């Protein structure tokens, strides 16, 4: 069992690591004779076959970093209602993979249906020249089936079987061991083409290529004439669903057109960051001063806990990573105020208990009796944050990106504030506060 002193040492080590991660990539230090630029390094370790890489840069959203906001409208008029949802999910998946070609750290792609119009919203932080992005994203997904000629130099031979010949793809279960498998159903013309291809490729691989990327290359086990096939293997339910989404992107091609293009200037982003940082510093400073003025040495300990809260929160933003937007910063600032709320409840309780108990006993009783109020208040806020974030994409709730950013940073801040308020502050008080 750790003593309070050992716990404080562990908290100190965690805080130092979090502080290093929270540092900007380069920071100029100019104190007296010292004038140098300190560089914060990322993790980049290669040992045998193990590669460990982690970038500690803060991921900024479109409103802070600047970039492009594109809205595409999908033409789903030729699809039935039951196929429309599948087609839009597949279309979103294809656009996400295309956006990744630009090497953007945190692109945002989301689907939206409004007044009968199906749209895909694409946000590309840091990208100001959108011509290439629009051309690439706006293409209809192309699925093709390719024969694989194996040998010393394997080669791919295109066939006339394409996504237009694939009626649909879906997940089902294997009849023998009930494992997830991916089923394919071809149109009448597609069935004939597929029959010819499988007849000459038994025992060989048949690759399925979407947007010049191989999504699957199963081995043909028999000559298939009925237009239905099953891809088996070591699928999990999730991996099988992902494969059907990719295949349906080519089977249910949905033309899209650009209906809105907006560029957010970097100057606006930099100005927003500067004002937000200033607001954060002013708010944090006000809380620190208030705690010291009202609660004296207890407030000073709470201030240390609040600083630990700040560096751990910022480090987690970089490690998860959390895409920071202006609403996200608002969620963080709100959680700063709530971070000291638990300490205030405990300290007020301590004032009542110290007259009837010894100093240390009163401190422990205060933490125990204030816990119920702290828990209920924070759980209520977490439930609200869950509804605002809508992680399950419930249709009766909104799916606004900025609101989700606010909810995520608020929920993360509450979780960390519980740790700093109950664990960090409590052990600091046990070690540093002694009875008069």
């Amino acid at each position: 069992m750790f003593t309070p002193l050992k716990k404080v040492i562990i908290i100190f080590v965690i805080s130092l690591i979090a502080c290093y991660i929270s540092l900007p990539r380069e920071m100029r230090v100019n104190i007296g004779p010292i004038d140098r630029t300190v560089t914060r390094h990322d993790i980049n370790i290669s040992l045998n076959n193990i590669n460990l890489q982690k970038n500690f840069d803060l991921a900024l959203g479109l409103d802070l970093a600047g970039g492009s906001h594109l809205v595409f409208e999908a033409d789903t008029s030729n699809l039935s209602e039951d196929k429309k949802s599948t087609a839009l999910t597949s279309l979103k998946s294809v656009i996400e993979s295309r956006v990744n070609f630009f090497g953007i750290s945190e692109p945002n792609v989301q689907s939206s249906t409004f007044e009968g119009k199906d749209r895909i919203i694409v946000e590309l932080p840091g990208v100001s020249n959108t011509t290439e992005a629009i051309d690439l994203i706006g293409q209809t997904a192309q699925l093709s089936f390719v024969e694989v000629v194996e040998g010393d130099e394997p080669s791919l031979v295109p066939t006339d079987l394409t996504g237009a010949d694939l009626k649909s793809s879906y997940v089902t279960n294997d009849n023998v061991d009930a494992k997830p498998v991916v089923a394919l159903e071809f149109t009448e013309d597609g069935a004939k083409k597929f029959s010819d291809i499988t007849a000459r490729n038994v025992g060989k691989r048949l690759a399925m290529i979407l947007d010049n990327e191989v999504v699957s290359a199963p081995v043909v086990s028999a000559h298939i004439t009925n237009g239905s096939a099953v891809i088996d293997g070591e699928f999990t339910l999730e991996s099988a669903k992902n494969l059907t989404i990719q295949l349906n992107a080519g089977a249910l091609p949905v033309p899209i057109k650009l209906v809105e293009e907006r560029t957010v200037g970097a100057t606006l982003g930099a100005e927003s960051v500067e004002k937000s940082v200033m607001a954060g510093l002013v708010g944090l400073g006000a809380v620190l001063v208030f705690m010291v003025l009202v609660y004296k040495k207890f407030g000073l300990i709470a201030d240390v806990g609040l600083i630990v809260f700040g560096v751990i929160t910022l480090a987690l933003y970089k490690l998860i990573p959390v895409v920071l937007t202006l609403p996200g910063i608002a969620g963080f600032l709100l959680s700063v105020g709530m971070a000291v709320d638990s300490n205030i409840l405990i300290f007020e309780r301590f004032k009542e208990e110290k007259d009837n108990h010894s100093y240390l006993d009163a401190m422990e009783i205060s933490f125990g009796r204030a816990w119920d109020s702290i828990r209920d208040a924070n759980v209520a806020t977490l439930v609200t944050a869950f509804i605002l974030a809508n992680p399950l994409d419930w249709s009766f709730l909104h799916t606004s990106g900025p609101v989700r950013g606010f909810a995520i940073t608020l929920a993360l801040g509450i979780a960390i504030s519980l740790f700093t308020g109950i664990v960090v502050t409590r052990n600091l008080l046990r070690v540093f506060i002694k009875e008069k």
Side-chain angles (χ1 to χ4, degrees):
M1 195 68 182
F2 292 116
T3 63
L5 179 59
K6 288 183 179 178
K7 289 179 181 177
V8 169
I9 293 173
I10 293 173
I11 291 168
F12 179 71
V13 172
I14 293 174
S15 301
L16 278 182
I17 296 172
C19 189
Y20 176 78
I21 295 173
S22 302
L23 290 174
R25 179 172 292 278
E26 290 188 346
M27 183 174 63
R28 185 174 179 182
V29 178
N30 188 358
I31 303 175
I34 303 174
D35 185 5
R36 57 177 301 184
T37 300
V38 178
T39 302
R40 187 256 305 143
H41 298 282
D42 298 325
I43 294 179
N44 189 2
I45 301 173
S46 295
L47 184 62
N48 296 327
N49 294 326
I50 300 175
N51 292 318
L52 182 59
Q53 295 180 333
K54 184 62 184 175
N55 188 319
F56 292 143
D57 289 339
L58 197 59
L60 300 179
L62 190 66
D63 52 351
L64 297 182
S68 299
H69 174 92
L70 307 174
V71 179
F72 294 89
E73 190 168 301
D75 181 6
T76 57
S77 56
N78 295 324
L79 297 177
S80 59
E81 284 297 322
D82 58 328
K83 288 186 176 180
K84 184 187 294 184
S85 175
T86 302
L88 289 175
T89 302
S90 300
L91 176 62
K92 179 172 176 284
S93 173
V94 169
I95 290 179
E96 284 175 335
S97 64
R98 290 174 178 174
V99 167
N100 289 335
F101 288 136
F102 295 97
I104 303 168
S105 60
E106 297 299 331
N108 181 28
V109 181
Q110 55 183 320
S111 57
S112 170
T113 299
F114 181 69
E115 294 183 347
K117 296 179 179 178
D118 301 307
R119 292 180 170 178
I120 300 292
I121 302 168
V122 183
E123 293 183 344
L124 305 173
V127 175
S128 56
N129 185 358
T130 58
T131 303
E132 185 182 1
I134 293 171
D135 291 342
L136 181 60
I137 294 171
Q139 297 173 4
T140 303
Q142 298 293 328
L143 176 68
S144 60
F145 292 74
V146 178
E147 296 178 19
V148 180
V149 179
E150 299 180 351
D152 295 336
E153 295 183 0
S155 60
L156 301 176
V157 179
T159 70
D160 58 350
L161 188 64
T162 66
D165 299 310
L166 181 63
K167 185 186 297 181
S168 66
S169 171
Y170 55 90
V171 178
T172 184
N173 293 321
D174 187 89
N175 292 329
V176 178
D177 52 16
K179 288 184 177 178
V181 295
V182 175
L184 306 177
E185 287 191 7
F186 292 93
T187 62
E188 185 175 346
D189 288 341
K192 294 176 183 175
K193 297 175 183 176
F194 191 61
S195 175
D196 294 339
I197 293 171
T198 54
R200 58 178 182 266
N201 286 281
V202 175
K204 300 177 182 177
R205 291 191 178 276
L206 180 65
M208 282 160 266
I209 298 178
L210 180 68
D211 282 354
N212 299 318
E213 183 178 351
V214 177
V215 295
S216 181
V219 176
V220 179
S221 58
H223 177 204
I224 301 172
T225 59
N226 62 356
S228 298
V230 169
I231 305 174
D232 57 14
E234 297 301 322
F235 285 116
T236 62
L237 182 60
E238 190 66 26
S239 63
K241 284 182 178 177
N242 289 336
L243 180 56
T244 59
I245 287 173
Q246 290 177 300
L247 295 176
N248 281 324
L252 302 170
V254 179
I256 57 176
K257 64 177 180 180
L258 182 70
V259 295
E260 181 181 340
E261 175 185 358
R262 180 160 51 89
T263 301
V264 180
T267 303
L268 175 62
E271 184 181 350
S272 300
V273 172
E274 185 179 339
K275 290 182 177 178
S276 300
V277 170
M278 180 57 67
L281 291 175
V282 171
L284 183 62
V287 173
L288 294 176
V289 171
F290 172 81
M291 292 301 292
V292 171
L293 291 178
V294 176
Y295 297 103
K296 310 297 189 246
K297 57 185 178 183
F298 283 81
L300 191 61
I301 294 294
D303 286 351
V304 174
L306 190 60
I307 294 172
V308 172
F309 162 81
V311 294
I312 290 180
T313 302
L314 187 54
L316 286 179
Y317 284 175
K318 293 185 174 185
L319 290 174
I320 292 176
V322 174
V323 181
L324 206 56
T325 61
L326 277 178
I329 291 177
F332 168 71
L333 295 179
L334 180 57
S335 64
V336 169
M338 298 186 69
V340 294
D341 185 60
S342 58
N343 293 137
I344 291 174
L345 287 173
I346 294 165
F347 296 161
E348 290 297 327
R349 189 77 192 189
F350 175 78
K351 290 180 180 176
E352 300 173 2
E353 299 292 342
K354 69 177 182 180
D355 295 333
N356 302 319
H357 302 85
S358 68
Y359 217 66
L360 291 178
D361 286 346
M363 192 185 304
E364 297 299 330
I365 291 172
S366 302
F367 272 95
R369 292 184 175 173
W371 167 244
D372 288 345
S373 302
I374 296 170
R375 179 198 59 202
D376 293 347
N378 284 282
V379 167
T381 309
L382 284 173
V383 170
T384 305
F386 180 84
I387 293 172
L388 291 175
N390 190 14
L392 301 179
D393 285 331
W394 287 325
S395 58
F396 57 91
L397 295 175
H398 64 82
T399 55
S400 167
V403 176
R404 278 181 165 171
F406 171 82
I408 290 172
T409 54
L410 177 60
L412 192 61
I414 291 171
I416 299 170
S417 71
L418 281 174
F419 169 72
T420 56
I422 301 301
V423 178
V424 175
T425 306
R426 186 174 196 168
N427 285 285
L428 287 173
L429 288 172
R430 284 171 173 169
V431 172
F432 293 106
I433 300 298
K434 305 297 182 185
E435 189 166 4
K436 294 177 181 177

